[in-house]
Amino acid sequence: MKKYIKHVAILLVLSVIATSCFKDNDDTFASPTIVKNFIYRAMNGFYLYKPDVPVLANDRFASTVELEAFHQQFQTPEEFFETLVFDRARTDRFSVIFSDYVALEQLLSGQGQNNGMEFGLVAVTGNPTDVYGYVRYVLPNSSAAQQGVTRGMIFSTINGVQLTRTNFSALLNPSTYTIGLADLNAGVTTLNGQEITLSKAFLQEDP
Protein backbone atom coordinates (compact mmCIF):
# COMPACT_ATOMS: atom_id res chain seq x y z
CA MET A 1 0.00 0.00 0.00
CA LYS A 2 2.81 2.39 0.91
CA LYS A 3 4.56 1.55 -2.36
CA TYR A 4 1.35 2.39 -4.31
CA ILE A 5 0.97 5.74 -2.53
CA LYS A 6 4.60 6.52 -3.28
CA HIS A 7 4.08 5.89 -6.99
CA VAL A 8 0.97 8.09 -7.04
CA ALA A 9 2.86 10.89 -5.30
CA ILE A 10 5.65 10.68 -7.90
CA LEU A 11 3.12 10.84 -10.73
CA LEU A 12 1.47 13.89 -9.18
CA VAL A 13 4.81 15.67 -8.87
CA LEU A 14 5.68 14.87 -12.49
CA SER A 15 2.27 16.13 -13.63
CA VAL A 16 2.76 19.44 -11.81
CA ILE A 17 6.25 19.87 -13.29
CA ALA A 18 5.01 19.09 -16.81
CA THR A 19 2.11 21.51 -16.46
CA SER A 20 4.36 24.25 -15.09
CA CYS A 21 6.73 23.90 -18.06
CA PHE A 22 3.96 23.97 -20.66
CA LYS A 23 3.95 27.16 -22.74
CA ASP A 24 0.53 28.65 -23.32
CA ASN A 25 0.71 29.92 -26.91
CA ASP A 26 -2.54 31.82 -26.43
CA ASP A 27 -0.59 34.29 -24.29
CA THR A 28 2.14 34.74 -26.91
CA PHE A 29 1.41 37.57 -29.32
CA ALA A 30 2.48 37.21 -32.94
CA SER A 31 4.78 39.90 -34.31
CA PRO A 32 3.40 42.49 -36.77
CA THR A 33 5.45 40.82 -39.51
CA ILE A 34 3.83 37.42 -38.89
CA VAL A 35 0.37 39.01 -38.79
CA LYS A 36 0.97 40.86 -42.07
CA ASN A 37 2.21 37.68 -43.73
CA PHE A 38 -0.94 35.89 -42.56
CA ILE A 39 -3.15 38.71 -43.88
CA TYR A 40 -1.46 38.61 -47.28
CA ARG A 41 -1.75 34.83 -47.63
CA ALA A 42 -5.42 34.93 -46.65
CA MET A 43 -6.21 37.71 -49.13
CA ASN A 44 -4.13 36.03 -51.83
CA GLY A 45 -5.90 32.73 -51.31
CA PHE A 46 -9.52 33.69 -50.72
CA TYR A 47 -10.24 37.34 -51.57
CA LEU A 48 -13.16 37.75 -53.98
CA TYR A 49 -11.60 40.77 -55.71
CA LYS A 50 -8.07 39.34 -55.94
CA PRO A 51 -7.94 39.72 -59.78
CA ASP A 52 -8.56 43.46 -59.35
CA VAL A 53 -5.70 43.99 -56.86
CA PRO A 54 -2.33 43.73 -58.70
CA VAL A 55 -0.31 43.35 -55.51
CA LEU A 56 -2.21 40.11 -54.75
CA ALA A 57 -1.07 38.42 -57.98
CA ASN A 58 0.58 35.03 -57.37
CA ASP A 59 3.80 36.13 -59.06
CA ARG A 60 3.96 39.58 -57.46
CA PHE A 61 6.62 38.58 -54.88
CA ALA A 62 9.42 36.14 -55.58
CA SER A 63 9.97 35.29 -51.91
CA THR A 64 8.71 35.89 -48.39
CA VAL A 65 11.66 38.23 -47.85
CA GLU A 66 10.48 40.38 -50.76
CA LEU A 67 6.90 40.38 -49.43
CA GLU A 68 8.08 41.42 -45.95
CA ALA A 69 10.18 44.22 -47.41
CA PHE A 70 7.03 45.47 -49.14
CA HIS A 71 4.70 45.43 -46.13
CA GLN A 72 7.27 46.94 -43.76
CA GLN A 73 6.32 50.35 -45.17
CA PHE A 74 2.92 50.03 -43.49
CA GLN A 75 2.94 50.81 -39.79
CA THR A 76 0.16 48.47 -38.67
CA PRO A 77 -1.48 45.25 -39.94
CA GLU A 78 -4.75 47.19 -40.25
CA GLU A 79 -3.12 49.78 -42.52
CA PHE A 80 -1.60 47.01 -44.64
CA PHE A 81 -4.96 45.24 -44.90
CA GLU A 82 -6.65 48.39 -46.21
CA THR A 83 -4.16 48.60 -49.09
CA LEU A 84 -5.29 45.13 -50.22
CA VAL A 85 -9.01 45.98 -50.26
CA PHE A 86 -10.41 46.74 -53.70
CA ASP A 87 -12.20 50.06 -54.27
CA ARG A 88 -13.22 50.50 -50.62
CA ALA A 89 -15.52 53.47 -51.26
CA ARG A 90 -17.71 51.89 -53.92
CA THR A 91 -17.19 48.14 -54.26
CA ASP A 92 -15.86 46.34 -51.19
CA ARG A 93 -17.36 48.13 -48.21
CA PHE A 94 -17.68 44.97 -46.12
CA SER A 95 -14.26 43.35 -45.70
CA VAL A 96 -12.93 44.06 -42.21
CA ILE A 97 -10.11 42.96 -39.93
CA PHE A 98 -10.27 42.56 -36.16
CA SER A 99 -7.35 42.81 -33.75
CA ASP A 100 -9.53 41.48 -30.92
CA TYR A 101 -11.09 38.03 -31.44
CA VAL A 102 -13.47 38.64 -28.52
CA ALA A 103 -14.86 41.67 -30.34
CA LEU A 104 -15.31 39.53 -33.45
CA GLU A 105 -17.18 36.84 -31.51
CA GLN A 106 -19.43 39.50 -30.01
CA LEU A 107 -20.13 40.95 -33.45
CA LEU A 108 -21.03 37.54 -34.89
CA SER A 109 -23.42 37.00 -31.99
CA GLY A 110 -25.02 40.39 -32.62
CA GLN A 111 -23.34 42.22 -29.74
CA GLY A 112 -20.84 44.97 -30.24
CA GLN A 113 -19.99 48.63 -29.83
CA ASN A 114 -22.10 50.66 -32.20
CA ASN A 115 -23.51 54.18 -32.36
CA GLY A 116 -26.48 52.86 -34.33
CA MET A 117 -25.78 54.65 -37.61
CA GLU A 118 -25.47 52.11 -40.43
CA PHE A 119 -24.08 53.88 -43.49
CA GLY A 120 -22.61 53.52 -46.94
CA LEU A 121 -19.86 55.49 -48.67
CA VAL A 122 -19.88 56.96 -52.18
CA ALA A 123 -17.17 58.73 -54.18
CA VAL A 124 -17.71 62.43 -54.81
CA THR A 125 -18.31 63.02 -58.53
CA GLY A 126 -15.25 64.35 -60.30
CA ASN A 127 -13.05 64.02 -57.21
CA PRO A 128 -10.35 61.29 -57.10
CA THR A 129 -10.05 61.24 -53.30
CA ASP A 130 -13.15 62.54 -51.46
CA VAL A 131 -16.12 60.41 -50.42
CA TYR A 132 -19.34 61.08 -48.55
CA GLY A 133 -21.53 58.94 -46.34
CA TYR A 134 -25.23 58.28 -46.50
CA VAL A 135 -27.33 56.80 -43.68
CA ARG A 136 -28.82 53.43 -44.69
CA TYR A 137 -30.76 52.85 -41.47
CA VAL A 138 -30.68 53.62 -37.75
CA LEU A 139 -30.76 51.05 -34.95
CA PRO A 140 -33.43 51.55 -32.27
CA ASN A 141 -32.36 52.70 -28.82
CA SER A 142 -28.96 53.81 -30.12
CA SER A 143 -27.05 57.08 -29.94
CA ALA A 144 -27.97 57.83 -33.56
CA ALA A 145 -31.66 57.29 -32.84
CA GLN A 146 -31.50 59.53 -29.76
CA GLN A 147 -29.69 62.28 -31.72
CA GLY A 148 -32.28 62.31 -34.51
CA VAL A 149 -30.25 60.67 -37.26
CA THR A 150 -32.56 59.42 -40.01
CA ARG A 151 -32.25 57.29 -43.12
CA GLY A 152 -31.05 59.22 -46.16
CA MET A 153 -28.98 61.82 -44.30
CA ILE A 154 -25.73 62.80 -46.03
CA PHE A 155 -22.47 63.54 -44.18
CA SER A 156 -19.09 64.46 -45.60
CA THR A 157 -16.88 65.26 -42.60
CA ILE A 158 -15.91 63.61 -39.31
CA ASN A 159 -14.76 65.97 -36.56
CA GLY A 160 -14.36 68.64 -39.22
CA VAL A 161 -12.14 66.52 -41.48
CA GLN A 162 -13.24 65.70 -45.04
CA LEU A 163 -13.84 61.97 -45.62
CA THR A 164 -11.52 60.44 -48.23
CA ARG A 165 -10.89 56.99 -49.67
CA THR A 166 -7.91 56.55 -47.33
CA ASN A 167 -8.89 58.22 -44.05
CA PHE A 168 -12.53 57.23 -43.48
CA SER A 169 -11.68 54.04 -41.59
CA ALA A 170 -9.54 55.88 -39.04
CA LEU A 171 -12.00 58.78 -38.74
CA LEU A 172 -14.97 56.48 -38.05
CA ASN A 173 -13.09 54.27 -35.59
CA PRO A 174 -13.20 56.35 -32.34
CA SER A 175 -15.91 55.66 -29.76
CA THR A 176 -17.20 59.24 -30.15
CA TYR A 177 -17.14 61.44 -33.23
CA THR A 178 -19.10 64.27 -34.85
CA ILE A 179 -20.52 64.02 -38.36
CA GLY A 180 -20.92 67.10 -40.52
CA LEU A 181 -24.18 66.94 -42.47
CA ALA A 182 -24.21 67.97 -46.11
CA ASP A 183 -26.52 68.56 -49.04
CA LEU A 184 -26.02 66.50 -52.20
CA ASN A 185 -26.36 67.92 -55.70
CA ALA A 186 -25.26 66.07 -58.84
CA GLY A 187 -22.90 63.87 -56.84
CA VAL A 188 -21.19 66.78 -55.10
CA THR A 189 -21.67 67.58 -51.40
CA THR A 190 -21.91 70.94 -49.66
CA LEU A 191 -21.80 71.26 -45.88
CA ASN A 192 -25.00 72.75 -44.48
CA GLY A 193 -23.67 73.73 -41.05
CA GLN A 194 -25.43 70.98 -39.09
CA GLU A 195 -23.41 68.61 -36.90
CA ILE A 196 -24.36 65.56 -34.83
CA THR A 197 -22.17 63.91 -32.20
CA LEU A 198 -22.51 60.14 -31.88
CA SER A 199 -21.20 57.79 -29.18
CA LYS A 200 -20.73 54.05 -29.43
CA ALA A 201 -22.17 51.69 -26.82
CA PHE A 202 -22.79 47.95 -26.59
CA LEU A 203 -25.91 47.06 -28.53
CA GLN A 204 -27.54 43.69 -29.03
CA GLU A 205 -28.66 43.13 -32.61
CA ASP A 206 -30.18 40.18 -34.40
CA PRO A 207 -27.18 38.76 -36.31
Side-chain angles (χ1 to χ4, degrees), residues 184-203:
L184 180 65
N185 184 20
V188 178
T189 59
T190 304
L191 289 171
N192 60 26
Q194 300 180 63
E195 294 185 336
I196 298 177
T197 299
L198 303 173
S199 298
K200 296 178 182 178
F202 277 99
L203 298 176

Side-chain angles (χ1 to χ4, degrees), residues 94-181:
F94 306 104
S95 295
V96 293
I97 184 172
F98 290 86
S99 59
D100 184 349
Y101 79 93
V102 175
L104 175 58
E105 289 180 336
Q106 290 174 334
L107 178 64
L108 294 176
S109 67
Q111 183 183 20
Q113 279 201 319
N114 197 326
N115 58 31
M117 181 182 72
E118 300 297 329
F119 60 89
L121 295 172
V122 180
V124 174
T125 300
N127 192 304
T129 60
D130 293 354
V131 299
Y132 64 87
Y134 65 94
V135 180
R136 296 169 55 223
Y137 62 91
V138 176
L139 298 176
N141 304 314
S142 65
S143 175
Q146 294 167 1
Q147 297 301 320
V149 176
T150 58
R151 182 181 180 186
M153 279 185 170
I154 303 295
F155 61 95
S156 60
T157 64
I158 300 292
N159 295 331
V161 179
Q162 172 64 48
L163 286 165
T164 69
R165 296 171 186 259
T166 57
N167 72 6
F168 71 87
S169 182
L171 291 178
L172 292 163
N173 186 55
S175 57
T176 300
Y177 57 76
T178 300
I179 60 173
L181 300 184

Side-chain angles (χ1 to χ4, degrees), residues 78-93:
E78 291 80 5
E79 182 184 355
F80 176 55
F81 172 78
E82 285 299 324
T83 67
L84 305 178
V85 175
F86 174 65
D87 193 15
R88 171 65 91 183
R90 294 173 298 183
T91 306
D92 184 5
R93 304 191 303 273

Side-chain angles (χ1 to χ4, degrees), residues 57-76:
N58 292 337
D59 59 355
R60 174 62 176 80
F61 300 103
S63 65
T64 301
V65 173
E66 188 176 333
L67 167 62
E68 291 177 358
F70 169 75
H71 66 52
Q72 285 300 323
Q73 64 184 303
F74 304 104
Q75 199 166 27
T76 65

